[in-house]
Amino acid sequence: MRILLTNDDGIASPALAQLKRVLSPFGRVITIAPDRNQSASSQSLTLHRPLRIQETAEDTYSVDGTPTDCVLVAFHGQLGVPPDMVVSGINHGPNMGEDVFYSGTVAAAIEGVLQGVPGIAASLVTRAQTDFVTPADVVGRLVRQVLERGLTRRLLLNINIPFRPADELKGVKLTRLGTRLYADTLVRKVDPRGKDYYWIGGEDPVWEPRPGTDFHEVSDGWISITPMVLDFTEERALGELAEWKLEK
């Protein structure tokens, strides 16, 4: 068993060492992560410049690219036999609801699934300083279940773990993606040379309090596991659009 470990927080994230600790009993762990923070990079690829890959330790590489680049390096970068599973995280912050479409953490797990292996994305719901020990233990237990039972092809698991001591976690709940309400704005500023620049800002989003969603259950102290499929096709809409007589 070869497990690819990656993230979008960068090669210096302490979460990588904790994940390697819990994943090593299952096989060889190869860490390939961005050389810097790549949060919110989504499924982006580096296409207009070469990538630089640096071996920083045994079975550990940094890439000056995105999390998706890192997964492609593992499968096609001549670093040995391709991995049998991709574990992405543990993200230092949540990835719930619509945020999964922006997340580099989730994108890396998606790329693993696209390459034909199980993908797991894990996030800790806090920005506070932490040692990642408890969330890594949670991920390790889930990986054991995946290895024993398998995953349906083209399906990935998105995990969000409350920031609580282990004895205060209520357990695991299977959830659906929730919904955030955003109030984004584009904030205009002027630099010291008199030129305009912009920040994407706005108020912090709030989530709809619907039971059964990742937001709701995590806020109540449960570990959220959301199974996600890669086929976005809306079957019902195919029938509805057929009535539009678009061929005429």
Side-chain angles (χ1 to χ4, degrees):
M1 170 64 62
R2 289 168 57 92
I3 301 173
L4 171 63
L5 176 57
T6 190
N7 68 5
D8 73 356
D9 286 331
I11 194 70
S13 170
L16 292 174
Q18 292 301 329
L19 275 179
K20 187 169 185 177
R21 170 182 62 83
V22 300
L23 297 178
S24 292
F26 304 126
R28 183 179 176 186
V29 179
I30 297 91
T31 301
I32 306 178
D35 65 352
R36 68 201 72 182
N37 190 297
Q38 291 281 348
S39 296
S41 57
S42 189
Q43 203 73 31
S44 61
L45 290 169
T46 301
L47 299 178
H48 303 294
R49 63 169 178 82
L51 290 173
R52 300 190 182 277
I53 305 168
Q54 180 178 356
E55 186 173 9
T56 61
E58 184 179 2
D59 285 339
T60 303
Y61 302 85
S62 68
V63 178
D64 66 339
T66 68
T68 302
D69 290 332
C70 293
V71 178
L72 289 178
V73 165
F75 280 91
H76 306 293
Q78 300 179 339
L79 298 180
V81 179
D84 303 298
M85 172 184 287
V86 173
V87 177
S88 182
I90 299 166
N91 192 66
H92 203 168
N95 279 306
M96 299 184 285
E98 291 88 345
D99 288 349
V100 300
F101 294 102
Y102 304 103
S103 167
T105 301
V106 176
I110 289 174
E111 189 61 37
V113 174
L114 290 174
Q115 296 295 327
V117 302
I120 296 173
S123 302
L124 179 63
V125 185
T126 187
R127 306 286 184 188
Q129 187 173 357
T130 177
D131 58 14
F132 290 98
V133 172
T134 294
D137 291 340
V138 170
V139 175
R141 291 194 295 270
L142 176 64
V143 168
R144 180 179 297 278
Q145 289 292 313
V146 170
L147 293 177
E148 292 178 356
R149 300 172 181 270
L151 274 182
T152 302
R153 181 171 170 79
R154 299 184 71 80
L155 180 145
L156 66 105
L157 299 180
N158 184 42
I159 312 166
N160 281 274
I161 304 163
F163 184 47
R164 297 188 178 196
D167 59 358
E168 293 183 17
L169 292 171
K170 292 184 177 181
V172 175
K173 281 199 174 181
L174 300 178
T175 59
R176 62 179 61 251
L177 294 177
T179 299
R180 280 189 188 269
L181 303 177
Y182 291 88
D184 288 339
T185 59
L186 196 62
V187 180
R188 178 182 175 184
K189 300 281 187 179
V190 179
D191 70 18
R193 293 179 174 82
K195 296 185 179 296
D196 293 338
Y197 67 95
Y198 300 87
W199 283 99
I200 297 176
E203 299 177 1
D204 289 338
V206 296
W207 50 271
E208 292 184 351
R210 288 188 296 154
T213 64
D214 45 13
F215 292 114
H216 187 278
E217 304 308 336
V218 166
S219 70
D220 199 31
W222 296 88
I223 299 164
S224 162
I225 299 180
T226 304
M228 296 169 52
V229 294
L230 303 190
D231 186 354
F232 287 1
T233 307
E234 173 52 71
E235 298 291 340
R236 184 176 57 185
L238 290 175
E240 294 175 353
L241 292 175
E243 299 176 359
W244 289 16
K245 303 187 186 304
L246 297 173
E247 70 280 3
K248 294 185 179 179

